[in-house]
Amino acid sequence: DVKVTQSSRYLVKRTGEKVFLECVQDMDHENMFWYRQDPGLGLRLIYFSYDVKMKEKGDIPEGYSVSREKKERFSLILESASTNQTSMYLCASSPTGFSSYEQYFGPGTRLTVT
Amino acid sequence: SQQGEEDPQALSIQEGENATMNCSYKTGINNLQWYRQNSGRGLVHLILIRSNEREKHSGRLRVTLDTSKKSSSLLITASRAADTASYFCATAYGNNRLAFGKGNQVVVIP
């Protein structure tokens, strides 16, 4: 079974702190994604990566950066956390191909910024 | 970016009944996928239907796709309490990306 793990289920940080969210997948997938999920807004893509050291902005990249130094690991960084970044963050991975394959999701990290 | 839109937003049914959810989208797609999310958890993939397919089954799930109307439906037959979850449609477009709808909350009453 594909497994996608996220470093924390719940996280509480203060405004202005630098926050790292880590995601690891064990299926050698090329693609990895970071989404945030907010009530009434569904899932919105923050960033995705299609290869090591490669990244592309999603729909809402402002205030976030990412790092992919190894194929299995994709990190989301909040350089200076703000209260409007309080949200559920979901990581996903998928193999690459001509058309999109299913994505495998981690359990999510619920981040609260106070 | 395009986005799926589910309809209705919330559904409450008795165990044993069928549940139907609809999804519409705006532009061309490679495929359309349905996911389930149990409360506070990650999403789980349910079924994928390609743009050249019209209907697909998986267990108690039946998905239809009408590309002329840019819409899809998900039918869950003989619902169970364990089917209580949020259901999302997602449209696949270039570069292996998915655009998700806002989700349907389904509550199955035992």
Side-chain angles (χ1 to χ4, degrees), chain A residues 90-109:
Chain A
L90 293 164
C91 175
S93 73
S94 77
T96 200
F98 176 70
S99 65
S100 299
Y101 289 94
E102 63 188 87
Q103 293 186 7
Y104 296 83
F105 281 81
T109 295

Side-chain angles (χ1 to χ4, degrees), chain B residues 41-103:
Chain B
R41 310 292 293 187
L43 278 70
V44 174
H45 181 263
L46 294 176
I47 195 164
L48 181 155
I49 185 164
R50 302 195 187 283
S51 57
N52 61 354
E53 296 176 310
R54 292 296 166 258
E55 188 171 312
K56 202 158 183 181
H57 297 254
S58 177
R60 294 183 296 112
L61 304 179
R62 173 177 168 255
V63 168
T64 61
L65 179 64
D66 187 334
T67 52
S68 67
K69 294 181 179 177
K70 292 187 169 56
S71 68
S72 173
S73 68
L74 171 67
L75 168 67
I76 305 173
T77 60
S79 63
R80 305 168 181 167
D83 295 328
T84 293
S86 292
Y87 292 83
F88 294 84
C89 72
T91 49
Y93 62 105
N95 290 335
N96 297 285
R97 293 174 64 158
L98 294 178
F100 285 85
K102 293 181 174 57

Side-chain angles (χ1 to χ4, degrees), chain A residues 3-14:
Chain A
K3 196 162 185 182
V4 179
T5 56
Q6 295 183 229
S7 50
S8 306
R9 288 299 313 278
Y10 300 94
L11 208 52
V12 179
K13 295 292 182 181
R14 292 194 180 275

Side-chain angles (χ1 to χ4, degrees), chain B residues 12-62:
Chain B
S12 184
I13 57 174
Q14 295 288 328
E15 201 166 30
E17 292 180 341
N18 296 341
T20 300
M21 288 154 271
N22 298 308
C23 168
S24 60
Y25 56 92
K26 294 186 175 72
T27 60
I29 58 171
N30 295 326
N31 62 59
L32 186 143
Q33 303 178 26
W34 285 91
Y35 289 79
R36 183 187 73 229
Q37 183 181 35
N38 292 94
S39 180
R41 310 292 293 187
L43 278 70
V44 174
H45 181 263
L46 294 176
I47 195 164
L48 181 155
I49 185 164
R50 302 195 187 283
S51 57
N52 61 354
E53 296 176 310
R54 292 296 166 258
E55 188 171 312
K56 202 158 183 181
H57 297 254
S58 177
R60 294 183 296 112
L61 304 179
R62 173 177 168 255

